[in-house]
Amino acid sequence: MDAIRGTAKAELTAPVEAFLADLHARVSKVTGGSPADYIPELGKVDPSLFGIAIATVDGQIYEVGDTDVPFTIQSVSKPFMYGHALQRHGRPTVLKHVGVEPTGEAFNSIVLDEVANRPFNPMVNAGAIAVAEMMPGDTQEQRIGNMLDLFSSLAGRRLGIDEAVFRSELETGHRNRAIAYMMLNTAMIERDPNEVLDLYFRQCSVNVSCCDLAIMAATLANDGTNPLTGKAVFDAQYVRDMLTVMNSCGMYDYAGEWAYEVGMPAKSGVSGCIIAVMPGQIGICVYSPPIDTQGNSVRGIRVCQEISSEFELHAF
Amino acid sequence: MDAIRGTAKAELTAPVEAFLADLHARVSKVTGGSPADYIPELGKVDPSLFGIAIATVDGQIYEVGDTDVPFTIQSVSKPFMYGHALQRHGRPTVLKHVGVEPTGEAFNSIVLDEVANRPFNPMVNAGAIAVAEMMPGDTQEQRIGNMLDLFSSLAGRRLGIDEAVFRSELETGHRNRAIAYMMLNTAMIERDPNEVLDLYFRQCSVNVSCCDLAIMAATLANDGTNPLTGKAVFDAQYVRDMLTVMNSCGMYDYAGEWAYEVGMPAKSGVSGCIIAVMPGQIGICVYSPPIDTQGNSVRGIRVCQEISSEFELHAF
Amino acid sequence: MDAIRGTAKAELTAPVEAFLADLHARVSKVTGGSPADYIPELGKVDPSLFGIAIATVDGQIYEVGDTDVPFTIQSVSKPFMYGHALQRHGRPTVLKHVGVEPTGEAFNSIVLDEVANRPFNPMVNAGAIAVAEMMPGDTQEQRIGNMLDLFSSLAGRRLGIDEAVFRSELETGHRNRAIAYMMLNTAMIERDPNEVLDLYFRQCSVNVSCCDLAIMAATLANDGTNPLTGKAVFDAQYVRDMLTVMNSCGMYDYAGEWAYEVGMPAKSGVSGCIIAVMPGQIGICVYSPPIDTQGNSVRGIRVCQEISSEFELHAF
Amino acid sequence: MDAIRGTAKAELTAPVEAFLADLHARVSKVTGGSPADYIPELGKVDPSLFGIAIATVDGQIYEVGDTDVPFTIQSVSKPFMYGHALQRHGRPTVLKHVGVEPTGEAFNSIVLDEVANRPFNPMVNAGAIAVAEMMPGDTQEQRIGNMLDLFSSLAGRRLGIDEAVFRSELETGHRNRAIAYMMLNTAMIERDPNEVLDLYFRQCSVNVSCCDLAIMAATLANDGTNPLTGKAVFDAQYVRDMLTVMNSCGMYDYAGEWAYEVGMPAKSGVSGCIIAVMPGQIGICVYSPPIDTQGNSVRGIRVCQEISSEFELHAF
């Protein structure tokens, strides 16, 4: 991938796009997994949708397949909300409410760190809910507005919420409600859980495209500055923290094998999207709804393995 | 204790009352523990209150100390609500929603039986909440009425709710709310958790006296028929099930040692009450607010040990 | 069952034996389960063997089927070794090494009570190994002799060890070896684990018959005195402790349901035997090798349910 | 640190050594922690020993303090034994016996991955014991010889075993013995646990100096080739796997915070040593016996934080 940066774009575009087109064609044959259906709305998606997008830190975008189809961002929202909390409140405050340790527990575990009584990390639901409470704003309307501003500045365009998915999450999210009350019980969150969850479910329901997420990932690769708009969203020091927890906790129970096989900081969402970041170079997004039992897009993992191998992007 | 039944009452009353008076005097010197304060209202109690009451299956009552002071029944309500659910719905239906296995988990654990996905037993909070949902009634008002009818028929007098404690529980019971949403998530309960918890918190807030609870315990000793009023509240087969779970799970984490030291089916509540049942013979209640770290009344345990030893009431 | 004691033997024998013969015939049709095969030697047994024996506290024995076939006592040895430790060392010493709390953990769990760092109870393997270490004797030979003396005095005849099963246990008992080293690590045992396990595996390999175990159970029903020989093996106070832990922990993970359905202190072994005790009245043994996934004899449970129901032996 | 490689050595040596000297002086004032004493021999060390060594991929060594004092390598042996197993047996075989997932469990946990029944990763004791079994050799003598050859080739000089520490580990390592028998029970290891543990305790007892470990770390930074001797010890692909598990699991329960604060693949040992690797650039070793409650050298962590910060070595 060093080639991408060291070569004139005209020369480069063709071979990268050819590689992506070939990769897309090959991985299109990969079957297995099925779209998430724990929320009725998510189950209605066309499972054959499949897009790959790569955004470079100098604003170049390479894409193939269904890269403009909207889908909900789901858990890929977590690292960005975490970065925003760090940016607004600083590390010490955020660390009081959520740790940075990987956990063997499932992503939707209700178990908290027994010593510090806080969620293990911001990538599990409990941690993400604690982070959602930190979104500034005097009213719920303001907090929703601030959240949408964040994701819009990351995508470089105005984003909105998929109301049907949001309502579906709201109606069925009993486990998250249990987690929120458990944290209220230990004073890990302090506001009304219903209000905090309202924001959390909305953040998960933000509509994005594969290209949007590639640009968001490239913003992290670019030390926090959106390479398309030039807007500085996060300070570099907080980008490092975001990449660190993505690296250790971004792929649910597959984190260890992902580090072994792919070796890039990443985050996946149950809508079938995965983002991966090669710091200083590129942001990647793959979108393909069928997910495996661990909640990761089946084709998404395959694509990231091949890109990592082809361009030698493994961290070590 | 066989003596109680085999002898004319006139002869008997004196020695039993003398024993109780002496026991009360001796155990009054026992200190340690402190009143529960997780609910602000409970912490306001006079810690020196101390009553002992024994009710026989033929309706005799022996009492000493503060046996008429009202306090909230708390977890001592659990076996009776369980009996009522068995009586109304039968064993198979009730067993679908709550098991009969002891658990090493704490009474307020959110962990469910992984195989059956149901609470381990009706004495842990999760199980008691599942049982509360089974109270019949078309409206919440009717269910509250039916619950109060149950406890009133067990006490042989009209009982009411301590509104201050109820509101206190309602405002602070976040952990129980978490448990309820977790069970809603796994379809172990089906109604709105707020409604189910409203009933559960009310059942815990029923005002009783030490004498009331001795009569309730004696109703179980008497195969389900209130020895004072003659009213049949539970069928004998369900009394057996109630006593069985009280025997294995009634004293929180102290269940094993209780079985070793006292050996009677029992149930304790954080307000500082303990009931114990000698089937076919007597029901006992001790009330003394200071509780130990396991949630059991310190003097209550001592009194039950001494009564068990004196009258050889141990099951084996 | 009161009838047994209150009636002349001549009158009684016929109906009880008729009941047992009928019960044996009916339960012979029950299939399911299979003989334990974790030790190769145990898997070689004839699965159709099926015996039932009842011994009364006045020395009467009722039996039907294969009641004289030898099999290894396995975990049914545990309560007797525990009683012997209590008898020799007293409660306080024994309680330092093994608790009396039921556990949700499996019988072969390596998990110890985190607070006291001791096994939860003497019916799980860890607890039984800790108890085995307490067998008095200056040499291993003496300890083995004392152990055999104990079981022989309980059976009322000289018992020996099944050498093939013993060697099979010794060769395959890696998990128990792991448990023993874990306890050595926390100083819960102090002697060489290999020596302690040698005794433990021998105690599990003692050859008994269904009649032997019924007499052993009747010894507990008879307050510790063998009803056949009149020899006092345990003090009544320790029999009570033995029955208490059998009651709460004797049937592995089935303990809760057993208490619900049968309601007698009991212990089962993987060779397919179950003993149950009706204090003051009878000891029961059923032997049928096929066991269920919880390690309890399938026909054994059925027989005990029917006897408990027929003679109303449930504790409550 | 880029400066180190881009500049003539003469110019560079002075500033790096000045930095290290200053760092050593500052961190010498850091107190806290105490030497490990679970093995009596380890507790006898001089707690004031303190050395820092950095080895570059082109064979330069910078050192300050007690860098030639011998100490036992302890758990820092684990990644190298893992790399050797990968090199000899290939990934698929090794993955059958030990996973690559981080775990919330303690390093000496006896808990195995429930699905695959294997240790979670090669940095916990269970995993390291499984890896030790894979050392080739027809006899135990040959396996010990091969193990010593491995560490000698990594250090670039002949290494030996501290016999007193070895015997001390052998005598007190009951918990590791428990772990080994548990794995024998599930067929995760197949040879006699005593033999496997003999090798494991010897590998932990290899005598090394701070400089030796810096060179070993630099061998990983140099894609598996010892920068001093030029000997290729590991293929680059296996070095990547070694660095990946060091990155996620190398610092016991501190792994998450280490990734946050330092951000380099690392491994610590209870003798008070920590190695860290900056791929393509340097290997670092710090030695200071006092360790914190998580088992990591107190000064070692501080030194690595400062080096990471000063030279911007964080992975992200």
Side-chain angles (χ1 to χ4, degrees):
Chain A
M1 209 67 199
D2 278 343
I4 290 183
R5 302 208 297 176
T7 318
K9 283 175 194 170
E11 290 175 62
L12 176 77
T13 306
V16 170
E17 294 201 326
F19 168 76
L20 286 184
D22 176 62
L23 178 61
H24 189 275
R26 275 187 294 115
V27 179
S28 288
K29 291 169 194 149
V30 172
T31 58
S34 54
D37 57 1
Y38 75 100
I39 301 170
E41 279 300 309
L42 288 182
K44 297 178 183 168
V45 73
D46 173 1
S48 71
L49 289 170
F50 181 24
I52 309 173
I54 293 180
T56 67
V57 294
D58 48 11
Q60 194 84 359
I61 295 178
Y62 305 97
E63 52 183 306
V64 58
D66 304 305
T67 54
D68 292 320
V69 179
F71 53 88
T72 53
I73 188 169
Q74 298 297 336
S75 292
V76 174
S77 62
K78 290 172 179 172
F80 299 104
M81 291 290 282
Y82 179 57
H84 191 261
L86 286 167
Q87 188 78 27
R88 286 302 178 101
H89 303 284
R91 255 193 187 193
T93 298
V94 174
L95 276 171
K96 266 184 223 149
H97 292 269
V98 56
V100 293
E101 293 295 328
T103 168
E105 303 288 332
F107 75 98
N108 60 359
S109 170
I110 204 159
V111 177
L112 304 180
D113 175 342
E114 284 185 13
V115 178
N117 216 6
R118 62 185 183 183
F120 287 101
N121 64 64
M123 301 296 107
V124 295
N125 288 7
I129 292 167
V131 165
E133 198 200 21
M134 295 183 209
M135 177 57 66
D138 291 334
T139 65
Q140 185 72 355
E141 200 172 24
Q142 282 179 12
R143 288 186 284 265
I144 295 169
N146 288 337
M147 180 272 289
L148 282 173
D149 285 352
L150 167 65
F151 288 104
S152 297
S153 70
L154 282 160
R157 69 176 185 100
R158 195 69 209 158
L159 299 178
I161 287 167
D162 184 322
E163 289 290 335
V165 170
F166 165 63
R167 276 193 304 271
S168 198
E169 303 239 21
L170 201 60
E171 279 159 22
T172 59
H174 307 311
R175 190 176 176 95
N176 284 323
R177 208 161 271 119
I179 291 171
Y181 276 108
M182 194 60 95
M183 290 198 290
L184 182 65
N185 184 53
T186 59
M188 229 3 73
I189 66 172
E190 289 174 4
R191 286 219 309 272
D192 177 355
N194 290 309
E195 211 174 73
V196 177
L197 288 170
D198 177 272
L199 186 68
Y200 175 70
F201 290 139
R202 282 180 198 275
Q203 105 189 26
C204 291
S205 305
V206 169
N207 258 326
V208 292
S209 71
C210 191
C211 272
D212 291 333
L213 287 189
I215 294 162
M216 291 189 194
T219 301
L220 300 186
N222 196 32
D223 281 346
T225 296
N226 185 319
L228 227 60
T229 65
K231 183 179 166 69
V233 186
F234 303 116
D235 288 355
Q237 70 175 112
Y238 299 126
V239 170
R240 201 175 74 183
D241 293 348
M242 296 161 73
L243 294 176
T244 296
V245 293
M246 288 168 69
N247 198 49
S248 58
C249 324
M251 298 299 288
Y252 304 125
D253 291 346
Y254 187 71
E257 279 190 68
W258 173 273
Y260 216 72
E261 299 281 349
V262 181
M264 286 187 282
K267 186 73 202 82
S268 69
V270 289
S271 47
C273 51
I274 297 180
I275 63 167
V277 177
M278 185 61 198
Q281 302 192 15
I282 57 170
I284 302 170
C285 177
V286 190
Y287 172 60
S288 166
I291 59 176
D292 59 25
T293 54
Q294 292 172 306
N296 298 314
S297 170
V298 172
R299 289 183 182 169
I301 285 181
R302 176 67 74 87
V303 165
C304 291
Q305 284 171 341
E306 299 225 5
I307 293 179
S308 171
S309 173
E310 174 74 16
F311 297 106
E312 298 188 350
L313 301 182
H314 195 286
F316 304 124
Chain B
M1 209 68 199
D2 279 343
I4 291 183
R5 303 208 295 176
T7 318
K9 282 176 197 170
E11 292 176 59
L12 176 77
T13 306
V16 170
E17 295 202 326
F19 168 77
L20 285 184
D22 177 61
L23 179 61
H24 189 274
R26 275 186 293 115
V27 178
S28 288
K29 292 169 195 149
V30 172
T31 57
S34 55
D37 57 0
Y38 75 101
I39 300 171
E41 279 300 310
L42 287 182
K44 296 178 183 167
V45 74
D46 173 1
S48 72
L49 289 169
F50 181 25
I52 309 173
I54 294 180
T56 68
V57 294
D58 48 12
Q60 193 85 359
I61 294 177
Y62 304 97
E63 52 184 306
V64 58
D66 305 305
T67 53
D68 293 320
V69 179
F71 54 87
T72 53
I73 188 170
Q74 297 298 336
S75 291
V76 174
S77 61
K78 289 172 180 174
F80 300 104
M81 290 289 282
Y82 179 57
H84 190 261
L86 287 167
Q87 189 76 27
R88 286 303 178 101
H89 303 284
R91 254 194 186 193
T93 298
V94 173
L95 277 171
K96 267 184 221 149
H97 291 269
V98 56
V100 293
E101 293 296 327
T103 168
E105 304 286 333
F107 74 97
N108 62 358
S109 170
I110 203 160
V111 178
L112 305 180
D113 175 342
E114 284 186 13
V115 178
N117 216 9
R118 61 184 185 184
F120 286 101
N121 64 65
M123 300 296 107
V124 295
N125 288 6
I129 292 167
V131 165
E133 198 200 22
M134 296 183 209
M135 178 57 65
D138 292 334
T139 64
Q140 185 71 354
E141 200 171 23
Q142 282 180 13
R143 288 186 283 266
I144 296 169
N146 288 337
M147 181 272 290
L148 282 172
D149 285 350
L150 167 66
F151 287 104
S152 298
S153 71
L154 283 160
R157 69 175 185 101
R158 194 71 209 158
L159 300 178
I161 287 168
D162 183 321
E163 289 291 334
V165 169
F166 165 63
R167 275 192 305 272
S168 199
E169 303 238 22
L170 200 61
E171 279 159 22
T172 60
H174 307 311
R175 191 177 176 94
N176 284 324
R177 208 161 271 119
I179 292 171
Y181 276 108
M182 194 60 95
M183 290 198 290
L184 182 64
N185 184 53
T186 58
M188 230 3 73
I189 66 173
E190 289 175 3
R191 284 219 310 272
D192 177 358
N194 290 307
E195 213 173 72
V196 177
L197 288 169
D198 176 272
L199 186 70
Y200 175 69
F201 290 139
R202 282 181 199 275
Q203 106 188 25
C204 291
S205 304
V206 168
N207 259 327
V208 292
S209 72
C210 191
C211 272
D212 290 333
L213 288 189
I215 293 162
M216 291 190 195
T219 301
L220 300 187
N222 196 32
D223 282 346
T225 296
N226 186 318
L228 227 60
T229 65
K231 183 179 166 68
V233 186
F234 303 115
D235 289 355
Q237 70 176 113
Y238 299 126
V239 170
R240 199 174 74 180
D241 294 347
M242 294 161 74
L243 293 174
T244 297
V245 293
M246 288 168 69
N247 197 50
S248 58
C249 325
M251 298 299 288
Y252 305 126
D253 291 346
Y254 187 71
E257 278 189 69
W258 174 273
Y260 216 73
E261 299 281 350
V262 182
M264 285 186 282
K267 186 72 202 82
S268 69
V270 290
S271 48
C273 52
I274 297 180
I275 64 167
V277 177
M278 186 60 199
Q281 304 192 15
I282 57 169
I284 302 169
C285 177
V286 191
Y287 171 60
S288 166
I291 59 176
D292 59 25
T293 54
Q294 292 171 305
N296 299 315
S297 170
V298 172
R299 288 182 183 169
I301 285 181
R302 177 67 74 89
V303 165
C304 290
Q305 284 171 342
E306 298 226 5
I307 293 179
S308 171
S309 173
E310 174 73 16
F311 297 106
E312 299 188 351
L313 300 182
H314 195 288
F316 303 124
Chain C
M1 211 67 200
D2 278 346
I4 290 183
R5 303 207 295 176
T7 318
K9 282 175 197 171
E11 292 176 59
L12 176 77
T13 305
V16 170
E17 294 201 327
F19 168 77
L20 286 185
D22 176 60
L23 178 61
H24 188 275
R26 277 187 291 113
V27 178
S28 287
K29 292 170 194 148
V30 172
T31 58
S34 55
D37 57 0
Y38 76 100
I39 301 171
E41 278 300 310
L42 287 182
K44 296 178 183 167
V45 74
D46 173 2
S48 71
L49 289 170
F50 180 24
I52 310 173
I54 294 180
T56 67
V57 293
D58 49 12
Q60 193 85 0
I61 295 177
Y62 305 98
E63 51 184 306
V64 58
D66 306 305
T67 54
D68 293 320
V69 179
F71 53 87
T72 54
I73 188 170
Q74 297 298 335
S75 292
V76 174
S77 62
K78 290 173 180 172
F80 300 104
M81 290 290 281
Y82 179 57
H84 190 260
L86 286 167
Q87 188 77 26
R88 287 301 179 102
H89 303 285
R91 254 194 187 192
T93 298
V94 174
L95 276 171
K96 266 183 222 149
H97 291 269
V98 56
V100 293
E101 293 295 327
T103 167
E105 304 286 334
F107 75 98
N108 61 359
S109 171
I110 202 159
V111 178
L112 304 180
D113 175 341
E114 284 186 13
V115 178
N117 216 9
R118 60 185 184 184
F120 286 101
N121 64 64
M123 300 296 108
V124 295
N125 288 7
I129 292 167
V131 165
E133 198 199 23
M134 295 183 209
M135 177 57 66
D138 292 334
T139 64
Q140 185 72 354
E141 201 171 23
Q142 283 180 11
R143 288 186 283 265
I144 296 168
N146 289 337
M147 180 272 290
L148 282 173
D149 285 351
L150 167 66
F151 288 104
S152 298
S153 70
L154 283 160
R157 70 176 183 100
R158 195 70 208 160
L159 300 178
I161 287 167
D162 183 322
E163 289 290 334
V165 169
F166 165 62
R167 275 192 305 273
S168 198
E169 303 238 23
L170 201 60
E171 279 159 23
T172 59
H174 308 312
R175 190 177 178 95
N176 284 323
R177 209 161 270 119
I179 291 170
Y181 277 107
M182 194 60 96
M183 289 197 292
L184 182 64
N185 184 54
T186 58
M188 231 0 78
I189 68 173
E190 289 175 3
R191 285 220 309 275
D192 177 357
N194 290 308
E195 213 173 72
V196 177
L197 288 170
D198 176 271
L199 186 69
Y200 175 70
F201 290 139
R202 282 181 199 275
Q203 104 188 28
C204 291
S205 305
V206 169
N207 258 327
V208 292
S209 71
C210 191
C211 272
D212 290 334
L213 288 189
I215 293 162
M216 292 190 195
T219 301
L220 300 186
N222 195 33
D223 281 345
T225 297
N226 186 318
L228 227 59
T229 66
K231 184 179 165 68
V233 186
F234 303 117
D235 289 355
Q237 70 176 113
Y238 299 125
V239 170
R240 200 175 73 182
D241 294 347
M242 295 160 74
L243 293 175
T244 297
V245 293
M246 287 168 69
N247 198 48
S248 58
C249 325
M251 298 300 288
Y252 305 125
D253 291 346
Y254 188 71
E257 279 188 68
W258 174 273
Y260 217 72
E261 299 281 350
V262 181
M264 285 187 282
K267 186 74 201 81
S268 69
V270 289
S271 48
C273 52
I274 297 179
I275 63 167
V277 178
M278 186 61 198
Q281 303 192 16
I282 57 169
I284 302 169
C285 177
V286 191
Y287 171 61
S288 166
I291 59 176
D292 59 24
T293 55
Q294 292 171 307
N296 299 315
S297 169
V298 171
R299 288 183 184 169
I301 285 181
R302 176 66 73 88
V303 166
C304 291
Q305 284 171 342
E306 299 225 5
I307 292 179
S308 171
S309 172
E310 174 73 16
F311 297 105
E312 299 189 350
L313 300 181
H314 195 287
F316 304 124
Chain D
M1 212 66 201
D2 277 344
I4 290 183
R5 303 207 295 174
T7 318
K9 283 175 195 171
E11 290 177 63
L12 176 77
T13 306
V16 170
E17 294 201 327
F19 169 77
L20 286 184
D22 177 62
L23 178 61
H24 189 275
R26 277 187 291 114
V27 178
S28 287
K29 291 171 195 147
V30 172
T31 58
S34 54
D37 58 1
Y38 76 100
I39 300 171
E41 279 300 310
L42 287 182
K44 296 177 183 169
V45 74
D46 173 2
S48 72
L49 289 170
F50 181 25
I52 309 173
I54 294 179
T56 67
V57 294
D58 49 11
Q60 193 83 0
I61 294 177
Y62 305 98
E63 50 184 305
V64 58
D66 305 306
T67 53
D68 292 320
V69 179
F71 55 86
T72 53
I73 187 170
Q74 298 298 335
S75 292
V76 174
S77 62
K78 290 172 180 173
F80 300 104
M81 290 290 281
Y82 180 57
H84 190 260
L86 287 168
Q87 189 78 27
R88 287 301 179 101
H89 303 284
R91 256 193 187 191
T93 297
V94 174
L95 277 171
K96 267 183 221 149
H97 291 268
V98 56
V100 293
E101 293 296 328
T103 167
E105 303 287 332
F107 74 97
N108 61 359
S109 170
I110 203 159
V111 178
L112 304 180
D113 175 341
E114 284 185 13
V115 178
N117 216 7
R118 60 185 185 182
F120 286 103
N121 64 64
M123 300 296 107
V124 295
N125 287 7
I129 292 167
V131 165
E133 199 200 21
M134 295 183 209
M135 177 58 64
D138 291 334
T139 66
Q140 184 72 355
E141 200 171 23
Q142 282 180 11
R143 288 186 284 265
I144 295 169
N146 288 337
M147 179 272 289
L148 282 172
D149 286 351
L150 167 66
F151 287 104
S152 298
S153 70
L154 283 160
R157 70 176 185 101
R158 196 69 209 160
L159 300 177
I161 287 167
D162 184 321
E163 288 291 334
V165 169
F166 165 63
R167 275 192 304 272
S168 198
E169 302 238 22
L170 201 60
E171 280 159 21
T172 59
H174 308 311
R175 190 176 177 94
N176 284 323
R177 207 159 272 120
I179 291 171
Y181 277 108
M182 195 59 97
M183 289 198 291
L184 182 65
N185 184 54
T186 58
M188 231 1 76
I189 66 173
E190 288 174 4
R191 285 219 309 272
D192 178 357
N194 290 308
E195 213 174 71
V196 177
L197 288 169
D198 176 272
L199 186 69
Y200 175 69
F201 290 140
R202 282 180 200 274
Q203 104 187 28
C204 291
S205 304
V206 169
N207 258 327
V208 292
S209 71
C210 191
C211 272
D212 290 333
L213 287 189
I215 294 162
M216 290 189 195
T219 301
L220 300 187
N222 196 31
D223 282 346
T225 296
N226 186 317
L228 227 59
T229 65
K231 183 178 165 68
V233 186
F234 304 116
D235 289 354
Q237 71 176 112
Y238 299 125
V239 171
R240 201 175 74 181
D241 293 347
M242 295 161 73
L243 294 175
T244 297
V245 293
M246 288 168 68
N247 197 49
S248 58
C249 326
M251 298 298 288
Y252 304 127
D253 291 346
Y254 186 71
E257 279 189 68
W258 174 273
Y260 216 73
E261 298 282 349
V262 182
M264 286 186 282
K267 185 72 202 82
S268 68
V270 290
S271 48
C273 52
I274 297 179
I275 63 166
V277 178
M278 185 61 197
Q281 304 192 15
I282 58 169
I284 302 169
C285 177
V286 191
Y287 171 60
S288 166
I291 59 176
D292 59 24
T293 54
Q294 292 171 307
N296 299 314
S297 169
V298 172
R299 288 182 184 170
I301 285 181
R302 176 66 74 87
V303 165
C304 290
Q305 284 171 342
E306 299 225 6
I307 293 179
S308 170
S309 172
E310 174 72 16
F311 298 105
E312 298 189 352
L313 300 182
H314 195 287
F316 303 124

